Amino acid sequence: MNRTPPSSGFLRRLHAGEPTLMLSIRGSRTVDIIHIARSTGHHSVMVDLEHSSMSTDVAAALCTAADALGLTALVRIPEREYGMIGRLLDGGAHGVIAPRVETVDQAQDVARACRFAPRGQRSQTNMVPQLGLRPTTARELNPVLDDSALVQILLETPTGLANADAIAQLDGVDMLALGANDFTAELGVPGQYGDPRVRDAVATIAGACKRHGKLMVLGGINDPSLLDTLVPLGVSSLRITGTDTALLYEAASARAQQYLAQLRGAQA
């Protein structure tokens, strides 16, 4: 076995504080988006199965392409779809993002689904794209995949926040994230990221991560001025640059306005 998945260096990069970019994929269905991610300087992709109708086949193909191009591929699974985790990892994903986790037991179920016995309960396999689909004994394969599987727990409710420290202690959990969109909605102030409770939540999760050697990720806030006030609390160097559908909309809108301005100028 002469190859290890790109995710092996992903956590090291983040723990070293190196700028790390992730592109979220919701609407794309071909590996073109993976090539675009790589050529634009991204280090990783998040394939979003929580907010799309994408099939597991497409998700696996995107992850396999990312692996081949040296990008780390995480999949945001549908809420509490633990049974999907093994299929995605077997299909080429380097790890998962589990949304709306609220309890230690829920987080532990995710972590154990990502690793083989005795650390977890992942079903045994001997051929994965991350290792070139080369038949590999469990003795060789299990440690490599266990060590490179990434687990990000997404906290989006006050209950989840209250359990942040206990979740951060779990073996197999690598990152804790605050989902600011759902969290502000839960607080009754949707989209109001300047609410002091958001800052308190970031500080709480970042503190838990620091105490237990984990990484804190902040999602859903794209305002640079607000991010500048929150990052010093302990937010990692991972930045989600945007979602493919939103970026396409922004580019299409800008191009449409450009042409409309030109046409109106020519008619004046």
Side-chain angles (χ1 to χ4, degrees), residues 25-27 29 47-55:
I25 301 173
R26 177 183 177 185
R29 297 294 189 270
V47 180
D48 192 354
L49 296 188
E50 183 189 21
H51 291 293
S52 78
S53 59
M54 188 185 302
S55 69

Side-chain angles (χ1 to χ4, degrees), residues 104-117:
V104 173
D105 286 344
Q106 290 167 1
Q108 192 163 50
D109 283 344
V110 174
R112 289 182 61 78
C114 289
R115 291 173 175 85
F116 300 105

Side-chain angles (χ1 to χ4, degrees), residues 57 106 144 233:
D57 274 348
Q106 290 167 1
V144 173
L233 298 176

